[in-house]
Amino acid sequence: MTEPEYTLAWEQLRDWTVWLVGRYRLVLEDRLPACWPQHPELIEELWALRAWRTEAYGPEGTGQSAVYWHQALVAFLGHVSVWWAGGCRAGHSSPNTDLRPEQIRSWKYASPLAGIPQQPHPTSTELNIITAEQMRALTDAGLAHPQHETIAAFTYYDGSWWAFGPPEGEDGFAMWFRADDADLDTNTESETFHDHH
């Protein structure tokens, strides 16, 4: 916005806020603090409320949108009374609220999967051995597909067939091995897989 446009927009918001305060008697109990122009957060929320009300009561507006606008006004006044009203709890000391560069960097490199359980699969697609527990989890998740419900010794996963190897010895663990055997024809594997899924 140019400076004249900003000045005009500010006058419009100020005039609308005067109307809002009078219409909804917001001077009672400081429902909207008189110092609202000193709080950028309140200015932004008032802008949004003004724009929404203009739409709700415009030619394309509906009764439902007007009801929703009033619900938003009630929610706005509810948190304003907690955060600012009653002597302006936010104060006017103008604390530095700018983000530090290191904060911005930490957000940039944060993992979008933080807090989301990971799918149970091997960490490398080059891995040629999977534990029985991992294969069971992969199958339960729909990522691994047994050759047939009556043939449990072969499962299709990660572009390959896997063969089940029973545990050996007392401390042995059951494992699945990537089956790169030349005897397993790739076309037959693909047809078998698609026939049963």
Side-chain angles (χ1 to χ4, degrees):
M1 272 196 245
T2 63
E3 186 172 343
E5 289 172 334
Y6 184 82
T7 301
L8 177 60
W10 176 248
E11 289 177 359
Q12 291 172 341
L13 179 64
R14 184 191 62 207
D15 291 346
W16 183 81
T17 304
V18 168
W19 170 85
L20 181 73
V21 169
R23 184 67 168 173
Y24 292 90
R25 301 193 297 171
L26 302 185
V27 292
L28 297 176
E29 301 173 358
D30 289 329
R31 291 177 186 165
L32 180 69
C35 57
W36 67 265
Q38 298 180 53
H39 298 285
E41 308 93 324
L42 290 179
I43 292 171
E44 292 296 331
E45 292 196 72
L46 287 167
W47 268 118
L49 283 170
R50 180 180 179 273
W52 189 357
R53 193 175 198 286
T54 300
E55 290 178 8
Y57 285 87
E60 302 296 321
T62 64
Q64 186 177 32
S65 61
V67 169
Y68 288 157
W69 181 85
H70 279 90
Q71 291 173 346
L73 176 64
V74 170
F76 166 72
L77 294 175
H79 78 256
V80 164
S81 67
V82 172
W83 290 1
W84 286 282
C88 187
R89 298 181 185 94
H92 302 116
S93 58
S94 298
N96 180 10
T97 56
D98 292 337
L99 285 170
R100 297 187 309 275
E102 58 270 21
Q103 285 178 308
I104 296 172
R105 275 194 301 276
S106 71
W107 292 351
K108 179 179 178 181
Y109 297 109
S111 170
L113 301 177
I116 300 175
Q118 297 296 310
Q119 288 287 358
H121 58 78
T123 57
S124 169
T125 56
E126 299 301 319
L127 197 61
N128 292 318
I129 299 174
I130 297 178
T131 68
E133 183 179 349
Q134 286 174 317
M135 186 60 81
R136 188 166 35 257
L138 289 165
T139 303
D140 291 345
L143 300 174
H145 307 277
Q147 183 178 18
H148 189 268
E149 59 186 24
T150 60
I151 304 174
F154 290 98
T155 293
Y156 192 81
Y157 166 68
D158 191 31
S160 296
W161 284 102
W162 295 73
F164 180 73
E168 297 180 3
E170 291 183 10
D171 297 328
F173 295 98
M175 304 294 284
W176 285 83
F177 301 89
R178 191 184 296 267
D180 293 325
D181 194 322
D183 292 338
L184 293 174
D185 179 63
T186 304
N187 293 329
T188 304
E189 294 163 12
S190 178
E191 290 170 8
T192 303
F193 172 72
H194 290 296
D195 286 345
H196 296 289
H197 295 85

